[in-house]
């Protein structure tokens, strides 16, 4: 999906023009994948635009940075406020996708980099529609199990959302698209279902919801966590357990979750129809619950909706270098 450029980007503490948010070609992250990042959605609600689990995303980014001894030279609150500022400055009140990134910049060129060097840090935001296609949310998508496995435990840590991890996701997605599928699902090195290239996976069997545990080489998705909480609040049973590949073919329903993919039904796996081949009733119920958060029909009992036009953030005092 082509990216729709916005006007400004928060770049190391100041707002610069979109075109001016550049880095040196010898930036460490470009060579070794040493970046950590997030994807956050902004939704329009009856009470104004909100960042969905904005603070949780920023906290996850700090945890990812911790794994790689990457020092983000701001407290998390500064980045939360800066995300809101980018939305306001670019007038993206109708909904957007925010991409904060922290990375090892230009400096030492050794593999480890210097853990004492402050990370470079940027936040961009742009308008973004449905990641897995407009009809995907309603009709479901066709996926395949990839011939590429997910990163093994104790190799590249799956729980850290680092740039380098996405080499695995790139291979999974490229293969899936080449073979005519919308998305690829990776197994872990034990052969159990792990996750999609950029989404967590759920399946429904006999009314019970199953999803792989965090030890299955997945990213602990915040949408995954939200869906688990929403499902349990509806009285549905959710179990985190290892999923053998063939359960994908037998399941009544399969769906993917992620910031970009939101809650997307899967209608076939490896060209084998899942259930009725249409969005299943449990998936639809969970979609209604999830999207209901943004039209007010689901009450936000967890404090996930963080107002973009928050009066306490108005003095962010961010220098503008335009
Ligand atoms: N797994 C991977 C590999 C991802 O890139 C993403 C997207 N961040 C997810 C799962 C879903 O995570 P979240 O719901 O926090 O966006």
């Amino acid at each position: 999906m082509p990216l729709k450029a916005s006007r400004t980007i928060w770049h190391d503490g100041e707002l610069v023009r979109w075109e001016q948010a550049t880095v040196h070609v010898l930036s460490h992250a470009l060579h070794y994948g040493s970046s950590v990042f997030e994807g956050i959605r902004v939704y329009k609600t009856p009470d104004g635009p909100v960042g969905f689990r904005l603070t949780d995303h920023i906290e996850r980014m700090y945890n990812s940075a911790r794994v790689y001894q990457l020092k983000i030279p701001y407290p998390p609150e500064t980045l939360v406020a800066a995300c809101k500022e980018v939305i306001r400055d670019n007038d993206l009140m109708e909904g957007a996708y925010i991409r904060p990134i922290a990375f090892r910049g230009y400096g030492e060129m050794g593999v480890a980099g210097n853990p004492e060097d402050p990370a470079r840090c940027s936040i961009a935001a742009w308008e973004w529609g449905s990641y897995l296609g407009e009809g995907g949310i309603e009709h479901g998508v066709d996926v395949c199990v990839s011939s590429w496995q997910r990163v093994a435990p104790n190799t590249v840590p799956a729980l850290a959302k680092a740039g380098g991890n996405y080499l695995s996701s790139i291979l999974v997605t490229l293969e899936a698209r080449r073979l005519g599928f919308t998305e690829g699902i990776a197994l872990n090195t034990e052969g159990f279902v792990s996750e999609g290239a950029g989404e967590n996976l759920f399946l429904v069997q006999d009314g019970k919801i199953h999803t792989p545990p965090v030890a299955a080489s997945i990213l602990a998705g915040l949408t995954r966590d939200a869906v688990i909480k929403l499902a349990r609040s509806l009285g549905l049973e959710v179990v985190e357990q290892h999923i053998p590949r063939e359960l994908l073919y037998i399941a009544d329903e399969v769906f993917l979750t992620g910031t970009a993919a939101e809650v997307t039904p899967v209608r076939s796996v490896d060209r084998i129809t899942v259930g009725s081949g249409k969005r299943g009733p449990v998936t639809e119920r969970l979609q209604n619950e999830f999207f209901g958060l943004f039209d007010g029909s689901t009450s936000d009992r967890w404090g996930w909706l963080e107002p973009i036009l928050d009066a306490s953030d108005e003095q962010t005092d961010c220098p503008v270098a335009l």
Side-chain angles (χ1 to χ4, degrees):
M1 196 185 306
L3 196 148
K4 188 164 177 230
S6 304
R7 202 174 65 86
T8 58
I9 291 180
W10 190 93
H11 198 49
D12 294 322
E14 56 183 23
L15 284 169
V16 302
R17 283 200 187 283
W18 181 274
E19 310 75 43
Q20 285 167 355
T22 55
V23 294
H24 197 280
V25 290
L26 291 180
S27 297
H28 190 276
L30 200 53
H31 298 254
Y32 304 118
S34 52
S35 62
V36 296
F37 68 99
E38 281 300 321
I40 306 154
R41 267 200 198 262
V42 172
Y43 289 92
K44 187 179 174 183
T45 77
D47 299 324
V50 298
F52 182 61
R53 307 198 68 171
L54 171 57
T55 301
D56 291 338
H57 276 284
I58 294 298
E59 276 172 9
R60 185 170 70 183
M61 189 163 108
Y62 279 74
N63 286 336
S64 302
R66 221 178 142 83
V67 174
Y68 288 100
Q69 295 181 47
L70 191 63
K71 277 197 182 150
I72 302 178
Y74 312 95
E77 307 81 65
T78 301
L79 294 197
V80 169
C83 285
K84 296 180 182 181
E85 178 128 21
V86 169
I87 293 299
R88 291 193 297 255
D89 197 63
N90 288 284
D91 200 16
L92 290 167
M93 308 298 182
E94 297 291 309
Y97 181 85
I98 315 178
R99 168 56 57 83
I101 184 165
F103 57 97
R104 238 181 245 302
Y106 171 71
E108 280 193 26
M109 220 29 196
V111 166
N114 182 353
E116 295 312 315
D117 281 348
R120 304 285 307 274
C121 203
S122 299
I123 304 170
W126 58 89
E127 276 176 41
W128 224 21
S130 294
Y131 178 62
L132 297 176
E134 283 305 325
I137 296 276
E138 198 184 328
H139 303 296
V141 293
D142 302 307
V143 308
C144 63
V145 173
S146 182
S147 67
W148 291 100
Q149 290 179 325
R150 200 80 178 100
V151 292
N154 210 23
T155 59
V156 177
L159 287 183
K161 192 172 167 62
N165 293 41
Y166 284 81
L167 291 173
S168 157
S169 296
I170 288 170
L171 292 171
V172 171
T173 309
L174 283 176
E175 180 184 61
R177 302 263 162 97
R178 196 166 63 235
L179 299 176
F181 297 95
T182 303
E183 186 57 300
I185 306 298
L187 305 181
N188 63 18
T189 50
E190 282 182 279
F192 293 111
V193 174
S194 177
E195 60 180 348
E199 308 84 15
N200 292 114
L201 183 139
F202 288 78
L203 63 82
V204 183
Q205 203 183 23
D206 300 327
K208 207 153 106 181
I209 301 170
H210 305 248
T211 195
V214 285
S217 297
I218 66 167
L219 179 72
L222 290 163
T223 322
R224 171 186 181 275
D225 175 72
V227 163
I228 292 173
K229 292 196 164 93
L230 289 167
R232 288 188 176 146
S233 76
L234 292 172
L236 296 168
E237 195 180 340
V238 185
V239 283
E240 294 178 58
Q241 60 166 50
H242 287 299
I243 295 179
R245 172 178 184 165
E246 61 274 23
L247 254 192
L248 298 174
Y249 307 142
I250 304 168
D252 301 323
E253 302 178 34
V254 176
F255 62 91
L256 301 171
T257 65
T259 298
E262 299 170 303
V263 180
T264 298
V266 170
R267 64 183 177 193
S268 73
V269 179
D270 296 335
R271 308 242 182 266
I272 299 173
T273 304
V274 174
S276 64
K278 295 197 171 73
R279 169 169 62 185
V282 175
T283 308
E284 189 168 359
R285 205 163 159 213
L286 291 169
Q287 280 184 326
N288 290 341
E289 237 13 59
F290 177 76
F291 291 114
L293 286 163
F294 313 116
D295 66 18
S297 57
T298 303
S299 70
D300 174 22
R301 295 202 259 131
W302 299 271
W304 291 333
L305 307 186
E306 301 183 38
I308 297 294
L309 306 173
D310 185 347
S312 62
D313 290 325
E314 263 161 35
Q315 344 302 353
T316 43
D317 227 9
C318 174
V320 181
L322 293 178

